[in-house]
Coordinates of all heavy atoms in Angstrom, one line a residue:
T1 N -23.3 37.4 -86.7 CA -22.9 38.5 -87.6 C -24.2 39.3 -88.0 O -24.2 40.5 -88.0 CB -22.3 38.0 -88.9 OG1 -23.1 37.1 -89.6 CG2 -20.9 37.4 -88.7
M2 N -25.3 38.6 -88.3 CA -26.5 39.2 -88.6 C -27.5 39.1 -87.5 O -28.7 39.1 -87.8 CB -27.1 38.7 -90.0 CG -26.3 39.4 -91.1 SD -26.7 38.7 -92.7 CE -28.5 38.6 -92.6
D3 N -27.0 38.9 -86.3 CA -27.9 38.8 -85.1 C -28.9 37.7 -85.2 O -30.0 37.8 -84.7 CB -28.7 40.1 -84.9 CG -28.0 41.1 -84.0 OD1 -27.1 40.6 -83.3 OD2 -28.4 42.2 -83.9
G4 N -28.5 36.6 -85.8 CA -29.4 35.5 -85.9 C -30.5 35.6 -87.0 O -31.4 34.8 -87.1
Y5 N -30.3 36.5 -87.9 CA -31.2 36.7 -89.1 C -30.5 36.3 -90.4 O -29.3 36.3 -90.5 CB -31.7 38.2 -89.1 CG -32.8 38.4 -88.1 CD1 -32.5 38.7 -86.8 CD2 -34.1 38.3 -88.5 CE1 -33.5 38.9 -85.9 CE2 -35.1 38.5 -87.5 CZ -34.8 38.9 -86.2 OH -35.8 39.1 -85.3
Q6 N -31.4 36.0 -91.3 CA -30.9 35.7 -92.7 C -31.9 36.2 -93.7 O -33.0 36.6 -93.3 CB -30.9 34.1 -92.8 CG -29.5 33.5 -92.8 CD -28.7 33.8 -94.1 OE1 -29.2 34.4 -95.1 NE2 -27.4 33.4 -94.1
W7 N -31.4 36.3 -94.9 CA -32.3 36.7 -96.0 C -32.7 35.5 -96.9 O -31.9 34.6 -97.1 CB -31.6 37.8 -96.9 CG -31.5 39.1 -96.2 CD1 -30.6 39.6 -95.4 CD2 -32.5 40.1 -96.3 NE1 -30.9 40.8 -94.9 CE2 -32.1 41.2 -95.5 CE3 -33.8 40.3 -97.0 CZ2 -32.8 42.4 -95.3 CZ3 -34.5 41.5 -96.8 CH2 -34.0 42.5 -96.0
Y8 N -34.0 35.5 -97.3 CA -34.6 34.4 -98.0 C -35.3 34.9 -99.2 O -35.9 36.0 -99.3 CB -35.7 33.7 -97.1 CG -35.1 33.1 -95.8 CD1 -35.0 33.9 -94.6 CD2 -34.7 31.8 -95.8 CE1 -34.5 33.4 -93.5 CE2 -34.2 31.3 -94.6 CZ -34.1 32.1 -93.5 OH -33.6 31.5 -92.3
Y9 N -35.4 34.0 -100.2 CA -36.2 34.3 -101.4 C -37.1 33.1 -101.6 O -36.9 32.0 -101.2 CB -35.4 34.5 -102.7 CG -34.5 33.4 -103.1 CD1 -34.9 32.4 -104.1 CD2 -33.2 33.2 -102.5 CE1 -34.0 31.4 -104.4 CE2 -32.4 32.2 -102.9 CZ -32.8 31.3 -103.8 OH -32.0 30.2 -104.2
E10 N -38.3 33.4 -102.2 CA -39.3 32.4 -102.3 C -39.1 31.3 -103.3 O -38.7 31.6 -104.5 CB -40.6 33.1 -102.6 CG -41.9 32.3 -102.4 CD -43.1 33.2 -102.6 OE1 -43.1 34.1 -103.4 OE2 -44.1 32.9 -101.8
G11 N -39.3 30.1 -103.0 CA -39.3 29.0 -103.9 C -40.7 28.3 -103.9 O -41.7 28.9 -103.4
L12 N -40.8 27.2 -104.5 CA -42.0 26.4 -104.5 C -42.3 25.9 -103.1 O -41.4 25.1 -102.6 CB -41.8 25.2 -105.5 CG -43.0 24.7 -106.3 CD1 -43.7 25.9 -107.1 CD2 -42.5 23.6 -107.2
N13 N -43.3 26.2 -102.5 CA -43.7 25.7 -101.1 C -42.6 25.9 -100.1 O -42.3 25.0 -99.3 CB -44.1 24.2 -101.2 CG -45.2 24.0 -102.2 OD1 -46.1 24.7 -102.2 ND2 -45.0 22.9 -103.0
G14 N -42.0 27.1 -100.1 CA -41.0 27.4 -99.1 C -40.0 28.4 -99.5 O -40.1 29.0 -100.5
W15 N -39.1 28.6 -98.6 CA -38.1 29.7 -98.7 C -36.7 29.1 -98.8 O -36.3 28.2 -98.1 CB -38.2 30.6 -97.5 CG -39.5 31.3 -97.4 CD1 -40.6 30.8 -96.8 CD2 -39.8 32.6 -98.0 NE1 -41.7 31.8 -97.0 CE2 -41.2 32.8 -97.6 CE3 -39.1 33.6 -98.7 CZ2 -41.8 34.0 -98.0 CZ3 -39.8 34.7 -99.1 CH2 -41.1 34.9 -98.7
W16 N -35.9 29.7 -99.7 CA -34.5 29.4 -99.9 C -33.7 30.5 -99.2 O -34.0 31.7 -99.3 CB -34.1 29.4 -101.3 CG -34.6 28.3 -102.2 CD1 -35.7 28.4 -103.0 CD2 -34.1 27.0 -102.3 NE1 -35.9 27.2 -103.6 CE2 -34.9 26.3 -103.2 CE3 -33.0 26.3 -101.7 CZ2 -34.7 25.0 -103.5 CZ3 -32.8 25.0 -102.1 CH2 -33.6 24.3 -103.0
Q17 N -32.6 30.1 -98.5 CA -31.7 31.1 -98.0 C -30.8 31.6 -99.2 O -30.4 30.9 -100.0 CB -30.7 30.5 -97.0 CG -31.2 30.4 -95.6 CD -30.1 29.9 -94.6 OE1 -28.9 30.1 -94.9 NE2 -30.6 29.4 -93.5
Y18 N -30.6 32.9 -99.2 CA -29.6 33.5 -100.1 C -28.2 32.9 -99.7 O -28.0 32.6 -98.5 CB -29.5 35.0 -100.0 CG -30.6 35.7 -100.8 CD1 -31.8 36.0 -100.2 CD2 -30.4 36.1 -102.1 CE1 -32.8 36.7 -100.9 CE2 -31.4 36.8 -102.8 CZ -32.6 37.1 -102.2 OH -33.6 37.7 -102.9
D19 N -27.3 32.8 -100.7 CA -25.9 32.5 -100.3 C -25.4 33.6 -99.4 O -25.9 34.7 -99.4 CB -25.1 32.4 -101.6 CG -24.9 33.7 -102.3 OD1 -23.9 34.4 -101.9 OD2 -25.7 34.1 -103.1
D20 N -24.3 33.2 -98.7 CA -23.8 34.1 -97.6 C -23.4 35.5 -98.1 O -23.7 36.5 -97.5 CB -22.7 33.4 -96.9 CG -23.1 32.9 -95.5 OD1 -24.3 32.7 -95.3 OD2 -22.2 32.8 -94.7
R21 N -22.7 35.5 -99.2 CA -22.2 36.8 -99.7 C -23.3 37.7 -100.1 O -23.3 38.9 -99.8 CB -21.3 36.5 -101.0 CG -20.6 37.8 -101.5 CD -20.0 37.5 -102.9 NE -21.1 37.2 -103.9 CZ -21.7 38.1 -104.6 NH1 -21.5 39.4 -104.5 NH2 -22.7 37.7 -105.5
T22 N -24.3 37.1 -100.8 CA -25.5 37.9 -101.2 C -26.3 38.4 -100.0 O -26.7 39.5 -99.9 CB -26.4 37.1 -102.2 OG1 -25.6 36.7 -103.3 CG2 -27.5 37.9 -102.6
S23 N -26.4 37.5 -99.0 CA -27.2 37.8 -97.9 C -26.5 39.0 -97.1 O -27.2 39.9 -96.7 CB -27.3 36.6 -96.9 OG -28.3 36.8 -96.0
R24 N -25.2 39.0 -97.0 CA -24.5 40.1 -96.3 C -24.7 41.4 -97.1 O -24.8 42.5 -96.5 CB -23.1 39.7 -96.1 CG -22.8 38.7 -95.0 CD -21.4 38.7 -94.5 NE -20.5 38.4 -95.6 CZ -20.1 37.1 -95.9 NH1 -20.5 36.1 -95.1 NH2 -19.3 36.9 -96.9
A25 N -24.6 41.3 -98.4 CA -24.8 42.5 -99.3 C -26.2 43.1 -99.1 O -26.4 44.3 -99.0 CB -24.5 42.2 -100.7
I26 N -27.2 42.2 -99.1 CA -28.6 42.7 -98.9 C -28.7 43.3 -97.5 O -29.3 44.4 -97.3 CB -29.6 41.6 -99.0 CG1 -29.6 41.0 -100.4 CG2 -31.0 42.1 -98.7 CD1 -30.4 39.8 -100.6
E27 N -28.1 42.7 -96.5 CA -28.2 43.2 -95.1 C -27.5 44.6 -95.0 O -28.1 45.5 -94.3 CB -27.5 42.2 -94.1 CG -27.5 42.7 -92.7 CD -28.9 42.6 -92.0 OE1 -29.8 42.1 -92.6 OE2 -29.0 43.1 -90.9
A28 N -26.4 44.8 -95.7 CA -25.7 46.1 -95.7 C -26.7 47.2 -96.3 O -26.8 48.3 -95.7 CB -24.4 46.0 -96.4
S29 N -27.3 46.8 -97.4 CA -28.3 47.8 -98.0 C -29.4 48.1 -97.0 O -29.9 49.2 -96.9 CB -28.8 47.2 -99.3 OG -27.9 47.3 -100.3
F30 N -29.9 47.0 -96.4 CA -31.0 47.2 -95.5 C -30.6 48.1 -94.3 O -31.4 49.0 -93.9 CB -31.4 45.8 -95.0 CG -32.4 45.7 -93.9 CD1 -33.8 45.9 -94.2 CD2 -32.1 45.4 -92.6 CE1 -34.7 45.8 -93.2 CE2 -33.0 45.3 -91.6 CZ -34.3 45.5 -91.9
Q31 N -29.5 47.9 -93.8 CA -29.0 48.7 -92.6 C -28.8 50.2 -93.0 O -28.9 51.1 -92.2 CB -27.7 48.1 -92.0 CG -27.9 46.7 -91.4 CD -28.8 46.7 -90.2 OE1 -29.0 47.7 -89.6 NE2 -29.3 45.5 -89.9
R32 N -28.5 50.4 -94.3 CA -28.3 51.8 -94.8 C -29.6 52.4 -95.2 O -29.7 53.6 -95.6 CB -27.4 51.7 -96.1 CG -26.0 51.6 -95.9 CD -25.2 52.0 -97.2 NE -25.5 51.1 -98.3 CZ -24.9 50.0 -98.6 NH1 -23.9 49.6 -97.9 NH2 -25.3 49.3 -99.6
D33 N -30.7 51.6 -95.1 CA -32.0 52.1 -95.5 C -32.1 52.3 -97.0 O -32.9 53.2 -97.5 CB -32.5 53.4 -94.8 CG -33.2 53.0 -93.5 OD1 -33.8 52.0 -93.4 OD2 -33.1 53.8 -92.6
D34 N -31.3 51.6 -97.8 CA -31.5 51.7 -99.3 C -32.8 51.2 -99.7 O -33.4 50.3 -99.0 CB -30.4 50.8 -99.9 CG -29.0 51.4 -99.8 OD1 -28.8 52.5 -99.3 OD2 -28.0 50.6 -100.1
K35 N -33.4 51.7 -100.7 CA -34.6 51.2 -101.3 C -34.4 50.0 -102.1 O -35.3 49.1 -102.2 CB -35.3 52.3 -102.1 CG -35.7 53.5 -101.2 CD -36.4 54.6 -102.0 CE -36.8 55.6 -101.0 NZ -37.6 56.7 -101.4
V36 N -33.3 50.0 -102.8 CA -33.1 48.9 -103.7 C -31.5 48.6 -103.8 O -30.8 49.5 -103.6 CB -33.7 49.2 -105.1 CG1 -33.0 50.4 -105.7 CG2 -33.6 48.1 -106.1
C37 N -31.2 47.4 -104.1 CA -29.8 47.1 -104.4 C -29.8 46.2 -105.6 O -30.7 45.4 -105.8 CB -29.0 46.6 -103.2 SG -29.4 45.0 -102.6
V38 N -28.7 46.3 -106.4 CA -28.6 45.4 -107.6 C -27.4 44.5 -107.4 O -26.3 45.0 -107.0 CB -28.4 46.3 -108.9 CG1 -28.1 45.4 -110.1 CG2 -29.6 47.2 -109.1
L39 N -27.7 43.2 -107.5 CA -26.6 42.2 -107.2 C -26.5 41.2 -108.3 O -27.5 40.9 -108.9 CB -27.0 41.5 -105.9 CG -27.0 42.4 -104.6 CD1 -27.4 41.6 -103.4 CD2 -25.6 43.0 -104.4
H40 N -25.3 40.7 -108.5 CA -25.1 39.7 -109.4 C -25.2 38.3 -108.7 O -24.5 38.1 -107.7 CB -23.6 39.9 -110.0 CG -23.4 39.2 -111.3 ND1 -23.8 39.8 -112.4 CD2 -22.8 38.0 -111.6 CE1 -23.4 39.0 -113.4 NE2 -22.8 37.9 -112.9
I41 N -26.2 37.5 -109.1 CA -26.4 36.3 -108.4 C -26.4 35.2 -109.4 O -27.3 35.2 -110.3 CB -27.8 36.3 -107.6 CG1 -27.8 37.5 -106.7 CG2 -28.0 35.0 -106.9 CD1 -29.2 37.7 -106.0
S42 N -25.5 34.2 -109.3 CA -25.4 33.1 -110.2 C -25.7 33.5 -111.7 O -26.6 32.9 -112.3 CB -26.3 31.9 -109.8 OG -27.6 32.2 -109.7
G43 N -24.9 34.4 -112.2 CA -24.9 34.7 -113.6 C -26.0 35.7 -114.1 O -26.1 36.0 -115.2
Q44 N -26.8 36.2 -113.1 CA -27.8 37.1 -113.5 C -27.8 38.3 -112.6 O -27.4 38.2 -111.4 CB -29.2 36.4 -113.3 CG -29.5 35.3 -114.3 CD -29.7 35.9 -115.7 OE1 -30.2 37.0 -115.9 NE2 -29.4 35.0 -116.7
E45 N -28.2 39.5 -113.1 CA -28.4 40.7 -112.3 C -29.8 40.7 -111.8 O -30.8 40.6 -112.5 CB -28.1 41.9 -113.1 CG -26.8 42.0 -113.7 CD -25.8 42.9 -113.0 OE1 -25.5 42.5 -111.8 OE2 -25.5 43.9 -113.5
Y46 N -29.9 40.9 -110.5 CA -31.2 41.0 -109.8 C -31.3 42.4 -109.1 O -30.4 42.8 -108.4 CB -31.4 39.9 -108.8 CG -31.7 38.6 -109.4 CD1 -30.6 37.7 -109.7 CD2 -33.0 38.2 -109.8 CE1 -30.9 36.4 -110.2 CE2 -33.2 36.9 -110.4 CZ -32.1 36.1 -110.6 OH -32.4 34.8 -111.2
A47 N -32.5 43.0 -109.2 CA -32.8 44.1 -108.3 C -33.5 43.6 -107.1 O -34.5 42.8 -107.2 CB -33.7 45.1 -109.0
I48 N -32.9 43.9 -105.9 CA -33.5 43.5 -104.6 C -34.2 44.8 -104.1 O -33.5 45.7 -103.7 CB -32.4 43.1 -103.6 CG1 -31.5 42.0 -104.2 CG2 -33.1 42.6 -102.4 CD1 -32.1 40.7 -104.6
D49 N -35.5 44.7 -104.1 CA -36.3 45.9 -103.7 C -36.7 45.7 -102.3 O -37.5 44.9 -101.9 CB -37.6 46.0 -104.6 CG -38.4 47.2 -104.4 OD1 -38.4 47.7 -103.2 OD2 -38.9 47.8 -105.3
L50 N -36.1 46.6 -101.4 CA -36.3 46.5 -100.0 C -37.5 47.2 -99.5 O -37.8 47.1 -98.3 CB -35.0 47.0 -99.3 CG -33.8 46.1 -99.6 CD1 -32.5 46.8 -99.2 CD2 -33.9 44.8 -98.9
E51 N -38.2 47.9 -100.3 CA -39.5 48.4 -100.0 C -40.6 47.4 -100.3 O -41.5 47.1 -99.5 CB -39.8 49.7 -100.7 CG -38.9 50.8 -100.1 CD -39.3 52.2 -100.7 OE1 -39.6 52.3 -101.9 OE2 -39.2 53.2 -99.9
Q52 N -40.6 46.9 -101.5 CA -41.6 45.9 -102.0 C -41.3 44.5 -101.4 O -42.2 43.6 -101.4 CB -41.6 45.8 -103.5 CG -41.8 47.1 -104.2 CD -43.3 47.5 -104.2 OE1 -44.2 46.7 -104.1 NE2 -43.5 48.8 -104.3
M53 N -40.0 44.3 -100.9 CA -39.5 43.0 -100.5 C -39.8 42.0 -101.6 O -40.4 40.9 -101.4 CB -40.2 42.6 -99.1 CG -39.8 43.5 -98.0 SD -38.0 43.4 -97.6 CE -38.1 42.0 -96.4
M54 N -39.2 42.3 -102.7 CA -39.2 41.4 -103.9 C -37.8 41.5 -104.6 O -37.1 42.5 -104.5 CB -40.2 41.9 -104.9 CG -41.6 42.1 -104.5 SD -42.6 40.6 -104.5 CE -42.5 40.1 -106.2
Q55 N -37.5 40.4 -105.2 CA -36.3 40.4 -106.1 C -36.9 40.3 -107.5 O -37.9 39.6 -107.8 CB -35.3 39.3 -105.8 CG -35.7 37.9 -106.2 CD -34.6 36.9 -106.3 OE1 -33.7 36.9 -105.5 NE2 -34.6 36.1 -107.4
A56 N -36.2 40.9 -108.5 CA -36.6 40.7 -109.9 C -35.4 40.8 -110.8 O -34.4 41.5 -110.5 CB -37.6 41.9 -110.3
R57 N -35.4 40.0 -111.9 CA -34.3 40.1 -112.8 C -34.3 41.4 -113.5 O -35.3 41.8 -114.0 CB -34.5 39.0 -113.9 CG -33.9 37.7 -113.6 CD -33.8 36.9 -114.9 NE -33.7 35.5 -114.5 CZ -33.2 34.6 -115.3 NH1 -32.9 34.9 -116.5 NH2 -33.2 33.3 -114.9
L58 N -33.2 42.0 -113.7 CA -33.1 43.2 -114.4 C -33.5 43.0 -115.9 O -34.2 43.8 -116.5 CB -31.7 43.8 -114.4 CG -31.2 44.5 -113.1 CD1 -30.0 45.3 -113.3 CD2 -32.3 45.4 -112.5
S59 N -33.0 41.9 -116.4 CA -33.3 41.6 -117.9 C -34.7 41.1 -118.1 O -35.1 41.0 -119.3 CB -32.3 40.5 -118.4 OG -32.6 39.3 -117.7
D60 N -35.5 40.8 -117.1 CA -36.8 40.3 -117.2 C -37.6 40.5 -115.9 O -37.7 39.6 -115.1 CB -36.8 38.8 -117.6 CG -38.1 38.2 -117.9 OD1 -39.2 39.0 -117.7 OD2 -38.2 37.1 -118.4
P61 N -38.1 41.7 -115.7 CA -38.7 42.1 -114.4 C -39.9 41.3 -114.1 O -40.4 41.3 -112.9 CB -39.0 43.6 -114.6 CG -38.1 44.0 -115.7 CD -38.0 42.9 -116.6
M62 N -40.5 40.6 -115.0 CA -41.6 39.7 -114.7 C -41.2 38.5 -113.8 O -42.0 37.9 -113.2 CB -42.2 39.1 -116.0 CG -42.8 40.2 -116.9 SD -44.2 41.0 -116.2 CE -45.5 39.8 -116.3
R63 N -39.9 38.2 -113.8 CA -39.4 37.1 -113.0 C -39.1 37.6 -111.6 O -38.0 38.0 -111.3 CB -38.2 36.5 -113.7 CG -38.5 35.9 -115.0 CD -37.3 35.4 -115.8 NE -36.9 34.1 -115.3 CZ -36.6 33.1 -116.2 NH1 -36.7 33.3 -117.5 NH2 -36.2 32.0 -115.7
R64 N -40.2 37.7 -110.9 CA -40.2 38.3 -109.5 C -40.4 37.2 -108.5 O -41.1 36.2 -108.7 CB -41.3 39.3 -109.4 CG -41.0 40.6 -110.0 CD -42.2 41.4 -110.5 NE -43.4 41.3 -109.5 CZ -43.6 42.2 -108.6 NH1 -42.7 43.2 -108.4 NH2 -44.6 42.1 -107.8
R65 N -39.8 37.4 -107.3 CA -40.0 36.5 -106.2 C -40.1 37.4 -104.9 O -39.4 38.4 -104.8 CB -38.8 35.6 -106.0 CG -38.6 34.6 -107.1 CD -37.2 33.9 -106.9 NE -37.0 33.0 -108.1 CZ -37.3 31.7 -108.1 NH1 -37.8 31.1 -107.0 NH2 -37.1 31.0 -109.2
R66 N -40.9 36.9 -104.0 CA -40.9 37.6 -102.7 C -39.6 37.3 -102.0 O -39.0 36.2 -102.2 CB -42.1 37.1 -101.9 CG -43.4 37.5 -102.4 CD -44.5 37.3 -101.4 NE -44.7 35.9 -101.0 CZ -45.2 35.5 -99.9 NH1 -45.7 36.4 -99.0 NH2 -45.4 34.2 -99.7
I67 N -39.2 38.2 -101.1 CA -38.0 38.0 -100.2 C -38.5 38.3 -98.8 O -39.5 38.9 -98.6 CB -36.8 38.8 -100.6 CG1 -37.1 40.3 -100.4 CG2 -36.4 38.6 -102.1 CD1 -35.9 41.2 -100.6
K68 N -37.7 37.8 -97.9 CA -37.9 38.2 -96.5 C -36.7 38.1 -95.7 O -35.7 37.4 -96.0 CB -39.0 37.3 -95.8 CG -38.7 35.9 -95.6 CD -39.8 35.2 -94.9 CE -39.5 33.7 -94.6 NZ -40.5 33.1 -93.7
R69 N -36.6 38.8 -94.6 CA -35.6 38.8 -93.6 C -36.2 38.1 -92.4 O -37.2 38.5 -91.8 CB -35.1 40.2 -93.2 CG -33.9 40.3 -92.2 CD -33.6 41.7 -92.0 NE -32.4 41.9 -91.2 CZ -32.3 42.0 -89.9 NH1 -33.4 41.9 -89.2 NH2 -31.2 42.2 -89.3
D70 N -35.6 36.9 -92.0 CA -36.2 36.2 -90.9 C -35.1 35.4 -90.1 O -34.0 35.4 -90.5 CB -37.2 35.2 -91.5 CG -38.3 34.8 -90.5 OD1 -38.2 35.0 -89.3 OD2 -39.4 34.3 -91.0
L71 N -35.5 34.8 -89.0 CA -34.5 34.1 -88.2 C -33.9 33.0 -89.0 O -34.5 32.3 -89.8 CB -35.3 33.5 -87.0 CG -35.8 34.6 -86.0 CD1 -36.7 33.9 -85.0 CD2 -34.7 35.3 -85.3
V72 N -32.6 32.7 -88.7 CA -31.9 31.6 -89.3 C -32.5 30.2 -89.0 O -32.3 29.3 -89.7 CB -30.4 31.5 -88.9 CG1 -29.6 32.7 -89.5 CG2 -30.2 31.5 -87.5
T73 N -33.3 30.2 -87.9 CA -33.8 28.9 -87.4 C -35.1 28.5 -88.1 O -35.6 27.4 -87.8 CB -34.1 29.1 -85.9 OG1 -34.8 30.3 -85.6 CG2 -32.7 29.1 -85.1
I74 N -35.7 29.3 -88.9 CA -37.0 28.9 -89.6 C -36.7 27.7 -90.5 O -35.6 27.6 -91.0 CB -37.6 30.1 -90.3 CG1 -36.8 30.5 -91.5 CG2 -38.0 31.2 -89.4 CD1 -37.5 31.2 -92.6
P75 N -37.7 26.9 -90.7 CA -37.6 25.9 -91.7 C -37.4 26.5 -93.1 O -38.0 27.5 -93.4 CB -39.0 25.2 -91.7 CG -39.7 25.7 -90.5 CD -39.1 27.0 -90.1
N76 N -36.4 25.9 -93.9 CA -36.2 26.4 -95.2 C -35.8 25.3 -96.1 O -35.5 24.2 -95.7 CB -35.2 27.6 -95.1 CG -33.8 27.1 -94.6 OD1 -33.0 26.5 -95.3 ND2 -33.6 27.4 -93.3
K77 N -35.7 25.6 -97.4 CA -35.5 24.6 -98.4 C -34.0 24.3 -98.6 O -33.6 23.2 -99.1 CB -36.0 25.0 -99.8 CG -37.5 25.2 -99.7 CD -38.1 25.4 -101.1 CE -38.1 24.1 -101.9 NZ -38.9 24.1 -103.1
G78 N -33.1 25.2 -98.1 CA -31.7 25.0 -98.3 C -31.1 26.4 -98.7 O -31.7 27.4 -98.5
V79 N -29.9 26.4 -99.2 CA -29.2 27.6 -99.5 C -29.0 27.7 -101.0 O -28.3 26.8 -101.6 CB -27.8 27.6 -98.8 CG1 -27.1 28.9 -99.1 CG2 -28.0 27.4 -97.3
A80 N -29.5 28.8 -101.6 CA -29.3 29.1 -103.0 C -29.5 27.9 -103.9 O -28.7 27.8 -104.9 CB -27.9 29.7 -103.1
G81 N -30.5 27.1 -103.7 CA -30.8 26.0 -104.6 C -30.1 24.7 -104.2 O -30.4 23.7 -104.9
L82 N -29.3 24.7 -103.2 CA -28.8 23.5 -102.7 C -29.7 22.9 -101.5 O -29.7 23.5 -100.4 CB -27.3 23.7 -102.1 CG -26.2 24.0 -103.1 CD1 -24.9 24.1 -102.4 CD2 -26.2 22.9 -104.2
S83 N -30.4 21.9 -101.9 CA -31.4 21.4 -100.9 C -30.8 20.8 -99.7 O -29.8 20.2 -99.7 CB -32.3 20.3 -101.6 OG -32.8 20.8 -102.8
I84 N -31.6 21.0 -98.6 CA -31.3 20.1 -97.4 C -32.3 18.9 -97.5 O -33.4 19.1 -97.9 CB -31.6 20.9 -96.1 CG1 -32.7 21.9 -96.3 CG2 -30.3 21.6 -95.7 CD1 -32.9 22.7 -95.0
Q85 N -31.8 17.8 -97.2 CA -32.6 16.6 -97.4 C -33.8 16.6 -96.4 O -33.7 16.8 -95.3 CB -31.8 15.3 -97.2 CG -30.9 15.0 -98.3 CD -31.6 14.9 -99.7 OE1 -32.8 14.5 -99.7 NE2 -31.0 15.4 -100.7
Ligands
V3L101 N1 -30.2 32.8 -105.6 C1 -29.9 31.7 -106.3 N2 -30.6 31.3 -107.4 C2 -31.6 32.0 -107.7 C3 -32.0 33.2 -107.0 C4 -31.2 33.6 -105.9 N3 -31.5 34.7 -105.2 N4 -33.0 33.8 -107.6 C5 -33.3 33.0 -108.6 N5 -32.5 31.9 -108.7 P1 -35.8 33.6 -111.7 P2 -38.0 25.5 -106.2 C6 -34.4 28.7 -107.6 C7 -32.5 30.8 -109.7 O1 -36.5 34.1 -110.5 O2 -38.1 24.0 -106.4 C8 -33.9 27.9 -106.4 O3 -32.7 28.4 -105.9 C9 -33.7 30.0 -109.5 O4 -33.4 29.0 -108.5 O5 -36.8 33.4 -112.9 O6 -39.0 26.2 -107.2 C10 -33.8 26.5 -107.0 O7 -32.5 26.3 -107.5 C11 -34.0 29.5 -110.8 O8 -33.4 28.2 -111.1 O9 -34.6 34.4 -112.2 O10 -38.3 25.9 -104.8 C12 -34.8 26.5 -108.1 O11 -35.3 27.8 -108.3 C13 -33.4 30.5 -111.8 O12 -32.6 31.3 -111.0 C14 -36.0 25.6 -107.9 O13 -36.5 25.9 -106.6 C15 -34.5 31.4 -112.4 O14 -35.2 32.1 -111.4

């Protein structure tokens, strides 16, 4: 669906995959060349900045993380906080 790509946000010593719904929403914005999209993710609103490649909480913009679009096959920590062992 996404040509073997996925969206990731930064965690401690690695990258987490976004949940599928969020990842598809970010991809749609990316394909439209949007600069930013605002998404509801696990009870919080986040601005996904596709120029800076960062996510930040709307209610607390200091809470920023890097994001990236990369192959689904890269090593990662899991999906949206659910660890892979
Ligand atoms: N999807 C799901 N949960 C998120 C996301 C997101 N895009 N962004 C933040 N959170 P903040 P390690 C992460 C969660 O940035 O051990 C991971 O998913 C975030 O969860 O201040 O550091 C893990 O569950 C955090 O719990 O808004 O790699 C957890 O951190 C909370 O929102 C630990 O991961 C505050 O993040």
